[in-house]
Amino acid sequence: MPPLSATQHEDPQAVFDSLEQQFSLHEEGLVALTKTFLEEFKVGLTNYNQPMAMIPSFVQGVPDGTETGTFLALDLGGTNLRVCEVVLNGDKTFNLVQQKYRVSEALKTGEASVLFNYLAESVDAFLTSRATTEYVSPSSPVESTHSQAKVEPVNLGMTFSFPVEQTALDSGKILTWTKGFSAKNAIGNDVVKLLQDAFDRKHMNVKCVALVNDTVGALLSRAYTGGGCVAGCIFGTGTNGAYIEQVSNIPKLANSAVAKKGGQMVINTEWGAFNNSRSHLPTTAFDNAVDRLSINPKFQAFEKFISGLYLGELSRHILVALVDATPKSLLFSGKSTAHLNKHYGVDTSFMSAVEEAWVGKDDSADAFALPPFSVLEFQKDKLSPKVVEKLENIRQHIVKDLEFDLEDVSLRDAAIVRWVCALVARRAALLSGVAIATVLIQQGSASLVSENKPVKSNNETFGIGVDGSLVEFYPNFNGILRESLRMLVGEDVEKRVEIGLAKDGSGVGAALCALMATKLA
């Protein structure tokens, strides 16, 4: 008998079993994905214009925490724009002053010149009102042209969290937009020039001297505060990773000045575009629906499986399918709300809140025991009081965030909602582990357990700088990610992976890149 869809069933339990099967990942599948990841790494390091672009950052040094100086950083990566002043103290610590500015949907999707004008205006506002850096605003009166000329330009490093084909530390061509951006007349242009032109149009005494991706920034920031780091990863609204590669392993840089210099270089993988063909990713009908209705269908496949922008929407599609199931609804007695029906109406923060309510503070066995979902009515008096308390808390989140009436949400509904969120989040965390395992194998620091190849060192620790709401806040995301690592590269390697938050990585990383640029000038 073919698998039952989530919208039509003869037996309710068969629907839940089918969903469980579709979203479950086992060791064999994770190994196959890692091998495919390594193949795409090689293709991207060899050739330009690949989906997983493997972009040279032209960052060839990693800080050790002794660096000093005051630098400006601009961070564009999602809903908010950040402008920061970073003071590097030289003792693995830094001081940071920052201001966030909201990027509207109109700015994300309008003309690029308007977006970059807004970036320049935000930098001017920050320098005028928050920073300690010496700066003369174009709107401020000055005594004379001569006195204004004396002021040195403010050096700025820009974190730009979108795919860019970087050609130098201070230039890079925008390849594509992600994360809901689609600003016109930007693709194919140098992002540093777009920003500098906006500064110049407003007669601002600011110079963009360095361009850095947020993952590169996370790596540099963690290296500065931790004294060492081999990779930087973002698991938040979007996902991406950067790692340290030998220049000799980057064939597409052959015959270039950096190739002759040799050494190491930080590579921005752009792994959000891994397996865009979906030949190996565990794609379901729900994944296809999320992709088809996204702003960039057929692109950023991996990102749509594991990033915060999409997990809530993926869960929403499953929940709606269960509501619409025939011949009998399997959720909320067939009722829905405008919020649940709305495109991107379920946020990943809702999933996190639901999981936090379920995990709770009690980890005893009877705090998690549930009957099969095919039992259409959970009998409250047959459930553990601890479980009832958790499900009641989840009901409250459903009422508040999805705008249901309390009487329309049963304890069983609450349990199903939590289960759906857990299915989606667990798959995301396991896939995130695949990405990190791939980096360790590529660097020669690990091998697949099944292959048992020789590696560089048996006692080296591996610093991984991470940032993003999933890795920082989602309950047990890190634990499941580490479970994936153990399956792929073994417990010994997993224990030596030190995952640490690269807090303010995009700001501090851009400042560190600006420092490198001034040293090279």
Side-chain angles (χ1 to χ4, degrees):
M1 183 178 178
L4 293 170
S5 76
T7 55
Q8 188 173 14
H9 63 88
E10 298 172 4
D11 171 20
Q13 190 58 46
V15 175
F16 299 117
D17 291 344
S18 174
L19 284 170
E20 182 91 47
Q21 182 180 20
Q22 289 178 63
F23 280 85
S24 292
L25 282 170
H26 304 289
E27 184 175 337
E28 183 180 348
L30 294 173
V31 168
L33 282 165
T34 305
K35 289 179 178 178
T36 307
F37 231 118
L38 287 164
E39 290 169 5
E40 291 203 19
F41 265 28
K42 185 176 181 180
V43 170
L45 289 169
T46 303
N47 305 291
Y48 287 99
N49 302 315
Q50 299 302 307
M52 193 145 71
M54 304 299 286
I55 300 166
S57 69
F58 293 86
V59 173
Q60 291 194 265
V62 176
D64 60 12
T66 62
E67 293 78 6
T68 60
T70 300
F71 299 91
L72 200 64
L74 172 67
D75 172 20
L76 179 66
T79 306
N80 294 313
L81 155 74
R82 276 200 317 155
V83 185
C84 316
E85 183 183 66
V86 181
V87 180
L88 305 171
N89 297 321
D91 58 358
K92 298 185 180 180
T93 68
F94 60 87
N95 301 104
L96 182 142
V97 178
Q98 65 174 324
Q99 182 69 47
K100 289 184 179 180
Y101 302 88
R102 185 162 184 81
V103 182
S104 68
E105 291 302 314
L107 287 168
K108 290 179 184 179
T109 58
E111 280 292 327
S113 59
V114 177
L115 172 63
F116 282 88
N117 281 344
Y118 178 71
L119 303 190
E121 290 164 3
S122 300
V123 171
D124 180 53
F126 175 84
L127 284 168
T128 304
S129 62
R130 298 293 308 276
T132 62
T133 305
E134 184 180 3
Y135 172 70
V136 177
S137 171
S139 60
S140 302
V142 292
E143 292 181 8
S144 68
T145 309
H146 176 70
S147 64
Q148 188 176 11
K150 284 184 179 179
V151 181
E152 290 295 320
V154 176
N155 290 323
L156 176 143
M158 182 186 191
T159 297
F160 189 72
S161 307
F162 303 91
V164 170
E165 193 68 76
Q166 205 152 342
T167 53
L169 194 57
D170 62 350
S171 68
K173 181 176 67 175
I174 302 175
L175 297 176
T176 185
W177 287 112
T178 57
K179 306 176 193 176
F181 280 70
S182 59
K184 302 173 184 66
N185 299 315
I187 306 300
N189 289 312
D190 184 343
V191 62
V192 174
K193 187 174 188 305
L194 288 171
L195 180 61
Q196 192 61 53
D197 285 349
F199 288 148
D200 294 345
R201 279 194 296 272
K202 297 183 178 301
H203 307 290
M204 293 173 59
N205 196 31
V206 178
K207 184 177 181 183
C208 185
V209 297
L211 174 65
V212 60
N213 180 270
D214 54 353
T215 50
V216 177
L219 191 160
L220 295 176
S221 174
R222 185 65 185 172
Y224 179 81
T225 59
C229 191
V230 300
C233 311
I234 306 296
F235 299 113
T237 303
T239 185
N240 193 10
Y243 74 101
I244 300 171
E245 181 62 273
Q246 298 296 322
V247 172
S248 58
N249 289 338
I250 314 173
K252 65 186 178 184
L253 289 180
N255 303 318
S256 67
V258 290
K260 292 173 184 174
K261 181 182 176 184
Q264 299 178 323
M265 181 181 289
V266 178
I267 293 291
N268 164 22
T269 66
E270 290 298 335
W271 71 33
F274 166 64
N275 201 216
N276 273 349
S277 66
R278 296 177 182 245
S279 59
H280 287 74
L281 283 169
T283 306
T284 69
F286 306 103
D287 296 296
N288 284 336
V290 168
D291 178 55
R292 176 171 49 82
L293 297 171
S294 71
I295 199 169
N296 55 349
K298 304 299 182 184
F299 291 94
Q300 296 298 107
F302 191 60
E303 183 166 83
K304 289 168 184 169
F305 279 74
I306 72 173
S307 72
L309 179 61
Y310 300 102
L311 298 187
E313 177 66 359
L314 184 54
S315 297
R316 187 188 72 84
H317 276 273
I318 301 171
L319 296 175
V320 169
L322 292 173
V323 169
D324 290 340
T326 58
K328 187 176 180 66
S329 172
L330 297 176
L331 187 64
F332 301 135
S333 300
K335 296 180 181 179
S336 189
T337 64
H339 210 82
L340 185 58
N341 294 338
K342 182 183 176 183
H343 195 38
Y344 288 90
V346 176
D347 192 78
T348 304
S349 62
F350 166 76
M351 299 171 61
S352 182
V354 165
E355 187 65 15
E356 191 168 347
W358 178 248
V359 171
K361 296 178 181 178
D362 189 339
D363 59 359
S364 57
D366 64 339
F368 301 98
L370 288 170
F373 296 140
S374 54
V375 177
L376 296 183
E377 291 297 335
F378 280 26
Q379 294 181 12
K380 192 171 182 178
D381 59 348
K382 292 185 178 181
L383 294 174
S384 157
K386 297 173 183 177
V387 169
V388 171
E389 182 182 359
K390 291 179 177 185
L391 294 179
E392 289 288 5
N393 287 337
I394 293 171
R395 285 179 77 203
Q396 295 299 327
H397 284 295
I398 294 170
V399 168
K400 176 177 176 288
D401 294 338
L402 304 187
E403 300 179 349
F404 274 88
D405 292 329
L406 186 61
E407 59 268 23
D408 291 331
V409 183
S410 68
L411 293 180
R412 174 180 170 274
D413 291 332
I416 291 173
V417 168
R418 181 266 155 186
W419 174 76
V420 167
C421 292
L423 273 184
V424 172
R426 177 175 174 78
R427 188 184 69 168
L430 289 172
L431 290 172
S432 299
V434 167
I436 293 179
T438 301
V439 165
L440 295 173
I441 296 168
Q442 174 67 22
Q443 291 176 324
S445 300
S447 71
L448 286 167
V449 172
S450 57
E451 295 181 351
N452 195 27
K453 292 180 180 177
V455 296
K456 287 179 185 175
S457 169
N458 290 324
N459 37 32
E460 180 185 356
T461 59
F462 312 112
I464 309 286
V466 296
D467 198 6
S469 53
L470 284 174
V471 75
E472 186 173 1
F473 299 117
Y474 204 100
N476 204 31
F477 189 90
N478 285 346
I480 299 170
L481 186 156
R482 284 189 171 277
E483 180 185 334
S484 179
L485 282 177
R486 285 193 294 276
M487 281 192 276
L488 292 168
V489 296
E491 187 174 355
D492 177 64
V493 173
E494 180 269 322
K495 282 182 177 177
R496 291 184 283 119
V497 173
E498 296 180 350
I499 297 176
L501 282 176
K503 208 59 184 149
D504 297 308
S506 50
V508 178
L512 287 162
C513 268
L515 169 65
M516 293 176 192
T518 58
K519 286 183 176 180
L520 292 171

